[in-house]
Amino acid sequence: MRKKIIAGNWKMNKTPLEGKAFATDMAVRCDVPDVDVVFCVPFVMLCPVSGATKPTSVALGVQNMHFEDAGAYTGEISSPMLAHFGVKYVIIGHSERRAYFNETDETVNKKAIKALSSGLIPIVCCGESLAQREQGVTMEHIRMQVKLALAGISADDAAKVVIAYEPIWAIGTGKTATTDQAEEVCAGIRKVLAEIYNEETANQIRIQYGGSVTASNAADLFAQPNIDGALVGGASLTDDFEKIVKYNQ
């Protein structure tokens, strides 16, 4: 059985003091044994939030990183810098990074490789636009994203990766893919993983759903055989995050 993983993507929200206060409270409330819980915070919050999560099982994550260890990359953050704060997870290739900051399939792949070689667990995002869904090319697009993201990554390393399926049309819109739609794509992703590697590896890799996940739809989503948790956006900054984490109680 794959252990559920629920990661909160705080995006660009809260000040360090607000983040520390929220994390101190929420980490205790989300300290559960049957779910891996992650707070993916802005870089400026790494110090206060790492202190808040240390007494609990909640892991620390970030929303991006560079694929080089050091260099003339103004404004970027490297994996050795993240290691100082005990970061465990890194979101890579979120649709907002692709849309607003020119993230490409090539840089997603480079970052995934660097994360794994640095002992970090990459949460690799994929997802289709509304136009792609309406044109019936969802799986072709997802297949390409997954294959390019994992290029050159061994089966042993791939087993550590988390894939986050986030239909772009459902991020921050209040729209959610139906349970059947989400399961269909996540099952398709697992089939692609089996093609790249093998059934055993594919069955080890955790696949999250993301896109307007709420306390009211989490249990139904997580009951699906190929959905192993969620990458939560807006709800990760509210009391609903605890309810999502405790979906089975």
Side-chain angles (χ1 to χ4, degrees), residues 197-213:
Y197 301 107
N198 50 61
E199 292 283 349
E200 182 181 359
T201 301
N203 286 328
Q204 289 178 276
I205 297 173
R206 293 186 289 184
I207 303 173
Q208 299 174 309
Y209 170 75
S212 299
V213 176

Side-chain angles (χ1 to χ4, degrees), residues 18 78 118 196 200 230:
E18 291 169 343
S78 69
S118 302
I196 299 171
E200 182 181 359

Side-chain angles (χ1 to χ4, degrees), residues 154-206:
S154 69
D156 286 344
D157 276 341
K160 305 168 190 172
V161 173
V162 177
I163 304 289
Y165 165 57
E166 292 198 305
I168 298 170
W169 49 271
I171 299 174
T173 62
K175 298 179 180 178
T176 307
T178 66
T179 301
D180 288 343
Q181 286 174 325
E183 167 61 17
E184 179 182 24
V185 176
C186 289
I189 291 171
R190 203 169 304 284
K191 185 179 293 186
V192 173
L193 295 170
E195 292 172 6
I196 299 171
Y197 301 107
N198 50 61
E199 292 283 349
E200 182 181 359
T201 301
N203 286 328
Q204 289 178 276
I205 297 173
R206 293 186 289 184

Side-chain angles (χ1 to χ4, degrees), residues 3 11 55 63 71 83 102 107 111 122 158 174 198 204 221 226:
K3 189 177 183 181
K11 305 192 179 183
Q63 303 164 22
N102 302 314
T107 58
K111 290 179 180 185
N198 50 61
Q204 289 178 276
L221 287 165
N226 289 288

Side-chain angles (χ1 to χ4, degrees), residues 62-232:
V62 292
Q63 303 164 22
N64 184 38
M65 58 165 269
H66 200 272
F67 50 77
E68 296 288 354
D69 285 340
Y73 302 103
T74 301
E76 289 293 330
I77 305 292
S78 69
S79 56
M81 296 174 186
L82 298 176
H84 176 78
F85 296 97
V87 171
K88 185 174 181 181
Y89 293 86
V90 54
I91 299 173
I92 294 175
H94 191 281
S95 62
E96 291 161 0
R97 296 292 311 173
R98 295 176 190 255
Y100 306 143
F101 303 105
N102 302 314
E103 193 86 58
T104 66
D105 291 321
E106 180 183 7
T107 58
V108 168
N109 176 242
K110 287 182 176 180
K111 290 179 180 185
I113 291 171
K114 171 55 70 174
L116 289 163
S117 69
S118 302
L120 298 171
I121 299 173
I123 299 175
V124 178
C125 299
C126 61
E128 84 282 9
S129 67
L130 183 58
Q132 288 165 334
R133 174 161 283 275
E134 290 177 340
Q135 291 163 9
V137 295
T138 292
M139 277 316 304
E140 287 92 332
H141 180 69
I142 299 295
R143 175 187 294 273
M144 178 186 71
Q145 286 188 312
V146 171
K147 285 194 169 186
L148 292 176
L150 298 177
I153 294 175
S154 69
D156 286 344
D157 276 341
K160 305 168 190 172
V161 173
V162 177
I163 304 289
Y165 165 57
E166 292 198 305
I168 298 170
W169 49 271
I171 299 174
T173 62
K175 298 179 180 178
T176 307
T178 66
T179 301
D180 288 343
Q181 286 174 325
E183 167 61 17
E184 179 182 24
V185 176
C186 289
I189 291 171
R190 203 169 304 284
K191 185 179 293 186
V192 173
L193 295 170
E195 292 172 6
I196 299 171
Y197 301 107
N198 50 61
E199 292 283 349
E200 182 181 359
T201 301
N203 286 328
Q204 289 178 276
I205 297 173
R206 293 186 289 184
I207 303 173
Q208 299 174 309
Y209 170 75
S212 299
V213 176
T214 66
S216 61
N217 62 26
D220 286 342
L221 287 165
F222 301 163
Q224 303 308 304
N226 289 288
I227 299 178
D228 305 312
L231 182 57
V232 184

